[in-house]
């Protein structure tokens, strides 16, 4: 997963489209729930700071970190 997080987000975002998920908080919840425990544990600061923009910020921070 961490070797290509951008590629991991492609099918995830396709599922959002197919299921008509548009609310950032819902997207954020699905992404966090799907993260490997090791990834989530190493990114607790990023995930904890995800206020306001609930999906775009952590997505960018995660992809930047594991690029």
């Amino acid at each position: 997963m961490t070797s290509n997080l951008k590629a991991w987000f492609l099918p995830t975002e396709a599922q959002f489209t197919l299921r008509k998920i548009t609310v950032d908080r819902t997207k954020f919840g699905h992404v966090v729930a799907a993260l490997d425990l090791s990834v989530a544990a190493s990114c607790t600061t990023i995930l904890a700071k995800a206020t306001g923009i609930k999906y775009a910020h952590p997505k960018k921070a995660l992809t930047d970190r594991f690029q």
Side-chain angles (χ1 to χ4, degrees):
M1 174 183 188
T2 58
S3 62
N4 196 344
L5 204 57
K6 284 186 179 181
W8 182 83
F9 272 102
L10 292 173
T12 302
E13 291 180 343
Q15 287 296 322
F16 294 156
T17 301
L18 291 171
R19 295 177 184 191
K20 296 178 176 46
I21 297 171
T22 58
V23 177
D24 279 340
R25 176 168 275 158
T26 305
K27 290 179 181 182
F28 178 78
H30 281 286
V31 168
V32 172
L35 289 175
D36 293 339
L37 182 57
S38 61
V39 173
S42 69
C43 298
T44 53
T45 303
I46 293 169
L47 299 174
K49 289 184 179 180
T51 58
I53 302 172
K54 283 285 185 183
Y55 177 69
H57 171 73
K59 177 188 173 188
K60 181 176 180 347
L62 288 168
T63 54
D64 287 351
R65 179 175 181 147
F66 292 105
Q67 215 170 1

